Amino acid sequence: MRHATLLRTGLSALLVVGAWTAAGPVSASAAPAPAEPPASAALLSAMQRDLGLTEQQAVTRLADEKAATALEKKAQRAAGSAFGGSWLDAETGRLTVAVTTAERAEAVRATGAETRIVEHSAKSLDAAKARIDALKAPSGVSSWHVDPATSRVVVNVVAADQADNDVRTFVAKARKAGPVTVRTTAETPRTFAAGTVGGDPYYTGNVRCSIGFSVHGGFVTAGHCGGVGQQVRGWDNSYIGNFQGSSFPGNDYAWVNVGSGWWTVPVVLGWGTVPDQLVRGSNEAPIGASICRSGSTTRWHCGRVLAKNETVNYSQGAVYQMTKTSVCAEGGDSGGSFISGDQAQGVTSGGWGNCSSGGETWYQPINEILNRYGLRLHTA
């Protein structure tokens, strides 16, 4: 931010709130500091509102998700080539790992995870999805992803278009690529950029989007919000920087350098109505985990991770390796932050529906963006 008097709500992860100060010395007789809460009061409140939880249930869920996230890689290694995917069971709070053999199931259970015997490995399902990725999808096909719980590739078709000849032809070809289940969705996916609205966080030309997460030297956001070299202006119309990298479609990510008196801090802002959330890392939450989104239009909303590595068929072209959530979003929220507990997850891309009637939203995973551009997340 340029200076303290310019602080306002609306910049999700770029603005400084108050001063960062070093702690003074603590005497040997001082009482130990209380344990840090699992998340800000704002995030817990949003989880209660959007997931129908009590405060204690939200706290318990975050603890379960943290444990599942830490266990997921270990359990996958134990499953070896029999690994069929994994997800968090919201009822039990345990990580469930799909495996293709009983022998590997025993090894996975030894790590502390639950297991389910399935027909297909994750490797074979990913190969089937890759074959579907090579097909040209009509507009009536919304998206497709691997579902580890059913051990199949799920192809999502817009309900009103399921009888369309092009849609039926695509589905027939997809079935030849591997084990496929067809489901219906309410609407065609779209990106969530918006026309210029005065006083909101950042602009490129006549497009308004939201900041995702601070990285050292700038911030990450959605690729469809601007192309390489395009100038970015802040909420006060002052110059922030330029798009240094951008990819859309195929991907939907970008990063913007920060200069001209602006700086970065590891927070996702609460837009003036809720406290801010510190960002402490980017450990990837499993399928089934709770997740919250912050954006310049609809502020805080929460939901669940529904699917990973989903291909989304926007009108501008397909975008790959997206994560689908049950969180709502609206125009102007594009690029904004998806966070699970205090762990950055990704930047808002698009979806269908709105925050009045509900819907689904996809994000581009943060670690892919960091790796692509060699960026380092700014953490607390």
Side-chain angles (χ1 to χ4, degrees):
M1 196 53 204
R2 289 193 298 162
H3 50 74
T5 59
L6 289 181
L7 292 178
R8 75 180 288 274
T9 61
L11 286 175
S12 160
L14 187 64
L15 309 187
V16 171
V17 180
W20 292 83
T21 58
V26 179
S27 68
S29 60
E36 286 188 7
S40 70
L43 193 148
L44 292 174
S45 176
M47 288 177 65
Q48 293 173 67
R49 177 195 65 202
D50 294 337
L51 294 172
L53 305 175
T54 65
E55 182 177 1
Q56 185 55 51
Q57 286 172 331
V59 169
T60 299
R61 178 154 186 159
L62 286 174
D64 290 341
E65 291 167 0
K66 185 175 182 179
T69 299
L71 178 60
E72 194 168 28
K73 293 298 183 184
K74 182 180 179 181
Q76 181 175 348
R77 288 193 297 269
S81 61
F83 179 70
S86 58
W87 64 94
L88 178 76
D89 187 323
E91 295 298 319
T92 65
R94 302 283 297 278
L95 181 73
T96 299
V97 178
V99 289
T100 57
T101 68
E103 178 186 6
R104 288 292 91 192
E106 185 176 349
V108 171
R109 285 194 293 272
T111 69
E114 301 289 343
T115 59
R116 179 183 297 181
I117 302 296
V118 296
E119 184 178 357
H120 306 287
S121 69
K123 183 177 180 180
S124 66
L125 290 171
D126 287 342
K129 179 183 174 291
R131 289 189 288 270
I132 298 173
D133 283 345
L135 302 175
K136 182 172 177 58
S139 60
V141 176
S142 170
S143 61
W144 52 96
H145 69 273
V146 169
D147 179 18
T150 61
S151 196
R152 301 181 74 81
V153 179
V154 175
V155 175
N156 297 294
V157 173
V158 178
D161 297 327
Q162 57 187 319
D164 178 82
N165 284 337
D166 290 340
V167 170
R168 295 172 68 179
T169 298
F170 178 89
V171 169
K173 290 179 179 179
R175 292 189 189 279
K176 292 180 181 179
V180 162
T181 293
V182 177
R183 296 176 184 167
T184 58
T185 187
E187 298 177 25
T188 301
R190 66 189 188 281
T191 57
F192 283 129
T196 299
V197 176
D200 276 314
Y202 89 83
Y203 308 91
T204 58
N206 66 343
V207 171
R208 172 170 61 89
C209 283
S210 300
I211 291 168
F213 293 96
S214 285
V215 296
H216 290 272
F219 65 84
V220 294
T221 187
H224 69 262
C225 291
V228 174
Q230 194 163 2
Q231 187 180 108
V232 173
R233 309 187 314 277
W235 61 268
D236 60 351
N237 206 38
S238 67
Y239 170 73
I240 294 177
N242 296 77
F243 279 84
Q244 300 298 306
S246 181
S247 179
F248 179 80
N251 306 293
D252 194 5
Y253 50 60
W255 82 280
V256 175
N257 70 311
V258 168
S260 301
W262 293 74
W263 67 79
T264 65
V265 291
V267 297
V268 173
L269 286 188
W271 312 104
T273 59
V274 294
D276 308 325
Q277 178 67 34
L278 287 173
V279 178
R280 300 188 185 278
S282 59
N283 293 325
E284 186 178 345
I287 293 172
S290 65
I291 194 164
C292 295
R293 181 193 55 72
S294 187
S296 63
T297 299
T298 57
R299 302 181 179 180
W300 280 99
H301 285 276
C302 296
R304 296 179 297 112
V305 176
L306 300 178
K308 295 184 180 183
N309 190 23
E310 182 151 37
T311 299
V312 182
N313 188 34
Y314 292 129
S315 61
Q316 301 95 327
V319 177
Y320 307 98
Q321 297 179 317
M322 302 276 270
T323 298
K324 180 165 68 176
T325 75
S326 63
V327 187
C328 68
E330 295 180 12
D333 287 329
S334 276
S337 321
F338 265 94
I339 190 166
S340 182
D342 57 9
Q343 299 295 304
Q345 298 298 307
V347 300
T348 303
S349 173
W352 61 267
N354 55 55
C355 289
S356 296
S357 59
E360 294 176 339
T361 303
W362 288 272
Y363 65 81
Q364 186 87 67
I366 181 70
N367 289 328
E368 180 183 356
I369 308 172
L370 300 177
N371 291 336
R372 168 63 180 83
Y373 294 119
L375 300 171
R376 188 158 57 96
L377 187 68
H378 195 166
T379 57

